[in-house]
Amino acid sequence: MSDPAREKPRVHSASGVLVWGLALGQLIGWGTLYFAFALFMAPMEAELGWSRADLNGALTVGLVTTGLASIPCGWWMDRFGPHLVMTAGALVGAAALLLWSTVSTPLAFYLVWVGIGLATASTVQDLPYAIASANIADYRRAIASILLLGGLSSTAFYPLTNLLIGAFGWRHALQILAGIQLVPALVYATLLRDMRGSRTGERPAETEALGGSPLTAALKRPAFWGLALCFGAQSFAFTGITFHMIPLLTERGLGLDAIVAAMALIGPAQVAGRLALMVFGRRATARLLGRAVVPLMPLAMFLLVVMAPFGLAGLALFALVFGTANGIITIVRATGIAEILGARGYGAISGAMNLVLMVPRTAAPLVLAAMWERQGRYDAALWLLVSITAMGAAAFWFASMEQTSQKRE
């Protein structure tokens, strides 16, 4: 009887088609379910008269829902494969966007974001990487390819969504985005029919022989919590900077045009880092990559502290370091779970990681805002980001020293 923990991933007969199909789903999913949100706030506020807190509260509801749903979605993927959960999730996302276009009360808007949170957990979190880990031999390159196209999501959907709102109004723009979100549903329904999860077909006796639930075993390992601390620090910094970028940089004497130009560099820097990794770092392990790249995040935060005298040049350097670091760390996170914690139970383990990361992801904007309210400046908040990301870099080194208990062969 084969050992599921040590079984080689099946080589999918059309792995290239599978990878780029999943990448297209990521590109569209992140664009419609996440990045488009910010552009709808102003027209909704103007038409409906809701407060900014009411509107952003819905995003928090969506993030919490995503975190809570990540483990069951990952468990389903491991046991039964991705076909049903990802196809259904994409359809739920399209339905939620359509319902968003009809909202007239805050309660309805919050319920819509429960649906978007469920769709996010089942389509654009870590399930595509779980598919690659379980079905493609060169899973590191497959994950890098998926993230390469997915990294262009904000670059594509910010201008597209802005164009749609300007041309058709926010309600009709959402209806068009709902139609676009049907594309991933079609892709998943077509490509994922014969895809397996890391525990598909595993019998209770095999589970017992392998030491029980891989999620339970992972939660007992210091490496899991070291990775969670590292990626939590990165997530805290990325989310906090994303939501506070404009007021933070304005405070440091930069004009809006310069800030927008720098923000535009972050997305291409992420993609450039991932592309360079695909070309020059094909054989690099997640351990090696993480040790080299994770320290770039505290460096980027430090550049924000000292960049004011250097103007646009200092800001551009920050954007390049920050974007490159975030782009490659995302790959390290996706591949590091399989490499350090083991491929068996990837979906549930990554779901648990997402649940842990929900806390820093949702807390970061509020913490930085509270620190600014207390001091009237971002100086203390920036030093907090430097400290947290440095602690995260140390945590990765700690986690990467632990040996993998379940090796891929």
Side-chain angles (χ1 to χ4, degrees), residues 265-274 276 293 296-297 318-330:
L265 286 175
I266 293 175
Q270 289 184 134
V271 174
R274 291 167 181 169
V293 175
L296 291 179
M297 190 58 75
F318 156 76
L320 291 173
V321 174
F322 181 68
T324 301
N326 188 69
I328 298 179
I329 288 172
T330 306

Side-chain angles (χ1 to χ4, degrees), residues 81-95:
H83 181 249
L84 179 59
V85 67
M86 292 189 68
T87 303
L91 291 173
V92 168

Side-chain angles (χ1 to χ4, degrees), residues 37-55:
F37 172 84
L39 296 170
F40 287 98
M41 294 303 94
M44 289 183 68
E45 190 175 11
E47 178 182 325
L48 300 171
W50 299 348
S51 70
R52 189 62 57 90
D54 286 338
L55 293 166

Side-chain angles (χ1 to χ4, degrees), residues 57 70 95 121 154 191 208 249 370 375 385 403:
S70 292
S154 60
L191 290 183
E208 187 67 25
L249 294 176
Q375 293 194 329
L385 292 174
Q403 293 300 309

